[in-house]
Amino acid sequence: MVKRSCPSCGPEPGAEEKKGRGNPISVQLFPPELVEHIISFLPVRDVVALGQTCHYFHEVCDAEGVWRRICRRLSPRLREQGPGVRPWKRAAILNYTKGLYFQAFGGRRRCLSKSVAPLLAHGYRRFLPTKDHVFILDYVGTLFFLKNALVSSTLGQIQWKRACRYVVLCRGAKDFASDPRCDTVYRKYLYVLATREQPGVVGTTGSRACDCVEVYLQSSGQRVFKMTFHHSMSFKQIVLVGQETQRALLLLTEEGKIYSLVVNETQLDQPRSYTVQLALRKVSRCLPHLRVAGMASNQSSTLYITDQGGVYFEVHTPGVYRDLFGTLQAFDPLDQQMPLALSLPAKILFCALGYNHLGLVDEFGRLFMQGNNRYGQLGTGDRMDRGEPTQVHYLQRPIALWCGLNHSLVLSQGSDFSKELLGCGCGAGGRLPGWPKGSASFVKLHVKVPLCACSLCSTRECLYMLSSHDIEHHPTYRDLPASRVVGTPEPSLGAGASQDPGGAAQACEEYLNQIHSCPTLQDRMEKMKEIVGWMPLMAAQKDFFWEALDLLQKTAAGVGSGPPTPES
């Protein structure tokens, strides 16, 4: 019989009653190597739970030797420890939590499925669905090509299955991109930013590592084009913007500068070589003091986030400019690369850019939306366009954000660390599961979200969620100062100070007026569901009200259509 006993603790309560069971042996008497070896056979979830029982097991379960054995069990081909303070623990958790999940919008089965998991992948860093397949980049720079294929089911039937075969497309990849439009039909080519060893000049024996952009056909994975840059230039991100005949590649350097070059996609499959000109983008020429940390793009606009949290915009068409800013006053069709600064109250951490609307998340976890709101894709509770960033007050500290053609998605986390997916905008085609009519506010979608989901993407046919947990990279939101919290009562010396901070009573009165204006009971139920999404309630409270309203709505629909009674 073996038990755990800490030297600082006294004898176990009731020890006299257990004399007949033999003398217990403390686990601390075993060699640490033996304890670590035994613990390494436990599942990762059990190792984490065991480490939370006491100080001794916390130290044992946190040892790198345990996580090295676990990592080699999960990924036998991984022999080198990665970077970081805790390389083996990080590698083991990355490989334990990796997964790509998807839910098709059409068909009979509308449940979450998991794609094939490449054994060679060291975690999942980012993914991109194309017209026919899905591409995944891991943490060591290996780009995987997940194919759709015909497979036989358990009943012997042949069926078309999504992301069920995989091959290695290339190694040494840093980033990749494709056509920035939401419709995957346009994603014919895949642009991969990679590092390749180039032979040295004549008279030298060594080789140099140079960055390059390789272009692959998404349908077959065949490389059709390659451009190599000078060894002195090192890039970390690539995005695309523009039409196929004037496709602009924007490259972000390690120093925070933006370079661009233009290619004609319609001629990439022709066997010939030519020279393209790499030029410094205007945002880096006009504002040389700015250090860009990240980029986002769509077909006709580009967004830059600096290392200080500032946001700058490039808009290339007047229609999108009017949707985003509500006016054409400052639009110059002869100088479309002129960066426009957005006025924001705090540092921006990440963003999402749709066709004609965008979302921004600041350092306090606040969500700001801007642009066209015809379908309610801004989540503000109405369908009024916003020409400047507008805060969505009932959403705080999102994990991921995605903006599409006319709807938006937010991945959030509850107080119990459970994940949920919220959406707003157009619900046509099943793109907002559970809300076919859409919603002008963010509502909880009927999707089972993986525990470690970290990013998402939606296409016309499918919703994708990437699962991966990196212990060294997690959102570091700051607490909002009390003086800047919406609804905080201002100090007042007068006895007649306002007893309604934030205008809650006025808002509730407006909600009641909206409910009274609905002609039928079903419409009132739908409006009440939207109002629950607008109100600053906890996630569990919103779920309760939504479930209760669904139950009442189904009961009312089962009674039959007739004149409303006074009780109803």
Side-chain angles (χ1 to χ4, degrees):
M1 178 180 179
V2 180
K3 76 161 190 174
R4 174 190 60 81
S5 65
C6 298
S8 58
C9 303
E12 183 181 0
E16 292 80 3
E17 302 177 2
K18 302 178 181 179
K19 291 182 180 179
R21 301 183 183 181
N23 297 325
I25 302 174
S26 172
V27 72
Q28 294 176 325
L29 299 178
F30 290 101
E33 296 81 6
L34 179 59
V35 178
E36 292 180 2
H37 182 73
I38 295 174
I39 292 177
S40 66
F41 288 96
L42 295 175
V44 174
R45 184 186 297 269
D46 295 340
V47 174
V48 175
L50 182 62
Q52 298 174 350
T53 56
C54 69
H55 178 70
Y56 172 75
F57 278 122
H58 175 74
E59 292 184 347
V60 174
C61 295
D62 204 42
E64 279 292 277
V66 172
W67 292 105
R68 183 178 65 251
R69 295 186 179 94
I70 294 176
C71 186
R72 289 179 175 174
R73 173 164 54 86
L74 294 174
S75 302
R77 299 177 182 270
L78 184 64
R79 294 301 178 185
E80 297 181 0
Q81 58 183 357
V85 181
R86 306 297 309 281
W88 287 114
K89 182 177 182 179
R90 176 173 180 256
I93 294 180
L94 281 176
N95 287 281
Y96 176 74
T97 59
K98 69 181 181 183
L100 178 64
Y101 300 83
F102 57 90
Q103 178 170 323
F105 294 141
R108 296 181 179 179
R109 295 186 59 190
R110 297 187 180 181
C111 59
L112 202 66
S113 304
K114 188 177 181 180
S115 71
V116 62
L119 297 177
L120 300 176
H122 178 45
Y124 292 163
R125 195 170 72 181
R126 60 168 304 221
F127 75 103
L128 178 68
T130 59
K131 179 181 177 181
D132 303 310
H133 310 292
V134 181
F135 295 86
I136 292 183
L137 179 65
D138 71 355
Y139 279 83
V140 294
T142 305
L143 187 59
F144 293 90
F145 182 18
L146 273 61
K147 299 182 177 182
N148 304 335
L150 289 171
V151 297
S152 59
S153 63
T154 54
L155 301 178
Q157 300 175 348
I158 301 299
Q159 61 182 1
W160 181 258
K161 193 171 182 181
R162 192 183 303 268
C164 61
R165 301 280 189 268
Y166 77 91
V167 294
V168 175
L169 184 69
C170 67
R171 302 181 187 274
K174 292 183 175 182
D175 195 19
F176 62 102
S178 187
D179 191 292
R181 283 172 284 191
C182 300
D183 195 344
T184 57
V185 174
Y186 300 104
R187 298 175 184 174
K188 180 179 179 182
Y189 295 100
L190 188 76
Y191 294 75
V192 180
L193 175 63
T195 301
R196 298 285 182 261
E197 291 290 334
Q198 299 294 331
V201 298
V202 179
T204 61
T205 57
S207 60
R208 290 177 173 175
C210 298
D211 283 357
C212 64
V213 172
E214 299 176 339
V215 184
Y216 295 85
L217 277 172
Q218 70 85 28
S219 57
S220 62
Q222 177 187 359
R223 194 180 76 181
V224 296
F225 188 74
K226 179 181 178 180
M227 60 189 84
T228 304
F229 307 108
H230 193 266
H231 64 85
S232 62
M233 306 191 71
S234 179
F235 302 100
K236 65 178 183 180
Q237 187 184 0
I238 178 175
V239 298
L240 308 182
V241 66
Q243 300 285 347
E244 289 87 347
T245 56
Q246 289 289 322
R247 182 75 75 196
L249 280 65
L250 305 186
L251 299 164
L252 174 62
T253 66
E254 298 288 349
E255 295 78 21
K257 301 298 181 183
I258 306 292
Y259 286 85
S260 65
L261 58 91
V262 179
V263 297
N264 187 349
E265 271 193 4
T266 61
Q267 300 178 355
L268 287 179
D269 53 356
Q270 299 178 8
R272 66 187 184 92
S273 62
Y274 59 91
T275 303
V276 294
Q277 183 179 2
L278 186 67
L280 194 64
R281 198 73 172 178
K282 191 164 188 176
V283 64
S284 296
R285 293 200 318 266
C286 297
L287 304 172
H289 61 283
L290 290 183
R291 183 184 177 94
V292 179
M295 303 182 294
S297 71
N298 60 25
Q299 184 181 3
S300 55
S301 59
T302 310
L303 186 145
Y304 307 107
I305 298 180
T306 67
D307 59 345
Q308 299 299 320
V311 177
Y312 291 83
F313 236 123
E314 284 183 16
V315 184
H316 306 150
T317 59
V320 174
Y321 190 97
R322 184 188 296 108
D323 286 336
L324 289 173
F325 298 100
T327 179
L328 288 175
Q329 184 176 1
F331 179 74
D332 186 359
L334 302 179
D335 191 7
Q336 299 176 356
Q337 292 187 16
M338 175 59 68
L340 306 170
L342 291 185
S343 178
L344 296 161
K347 177 181 179 180
I348 297 300
L349 297 184
F350 61 93
C351 69
L353 185 59
Y355 172 67
N356 53 11
H357 75 289
L358 63 102
L360 304 165
V361 179
D362 70 359
E363 58 184 333
F364 301 111
R366 297 177 297 181
L367 174 62
F368 295 87
M369 304 294 289
Q370 177 179 345
N372 185 285
N373 199 23
R374 179 181 179 183
Y375 298 92
Q377 60 261 44
L378 301 185
T380 54
D382 53 41
R383 285 174 170 79
M384 296 174 55
D385 296 347
R386 299 297 196 277
E388 58 184 16
T390 303
Q391 183 180 355
V392 182
H393 293 284
Y394 56 89
L395 277 181
Q396 296 291 332
R397 305 197 172 200
I399 298 174
L401 173 66
W402 185 85
C403 294
L405 181 63
N406 48 30
H407 73 294
S408 304
L409 301 175
V410 167
L411 184 64
S412 65
Q413 179 174 281
S415 57
D416 57 349
F417 299 102
S418 62
K419 304 288 179 62
E420 61 181 13
L421 186 62
L422 307 175
C424 66
C426 179
R431 66 191 68 183
L432 296 181
W435 302 83
K437 295 183 179 179
S439 174
S441 60
F442 282 98
V443 291
K444 184 179 178 181
L445 305 183
H446 296 181
V447 177
K448 184 178 180 181
V449 182
L451 181 63
C452 296
C454 62
S455 64
L456 69 157
C457 175
S458 179
T459 65
R460 180 182 294 180
E461 304 88 7
C462 198
L463 170 68
Y464 295 89
M465 286 182 288
L466 186 73
S467 172
S468 181
H469 180 68
D470 191 348
I471 61 176
E472 295 184 359
H473 296 86
H474 50 85
T476 54
Y477 291 124
R478 296 172 53 196
D479 292 329
L480 189 66
S483 60
R484 300 171 64 179
V485 177
V486 175
T488 301
E490 297 292 337
S492 175
L493 299 177
S498 173
Q499 299 300 318
D500 183 25
Q506 183 179 359
C508 291
E509 185 177 355
E510 177 62 26
Y511 295 156
L512 284 175
N513 292 333
Q514 295 181 19
I515 294 176
H516 281 301
S517 64
C518 296
T520 64
L521 178 61
Q522 295 295 331
D523 292 338
R524 292 182 178 183
M525 288 288 189
E526 292 294 337
K527 176 58 67 174
M528 187 60 195
K529 289 181 183 180
E530 291 188 11
I531 292 174
V532 170
W534 303 342
M535 300 180 72
L537 302 175
M538 297 178 62
Q541 294 172 332
K542 290 185 178 182
D543 291 343
F544 166 74
F545 283 116
W546 281 331
E547 292 293 337
L549 289 170
D550 278 336
L551 180 61
L552 294 174
Q553 193 172 14
K554 293 176 181 178
T555 304
V559 171
S561 59
T565 62
E567 290 78 12
S568 64

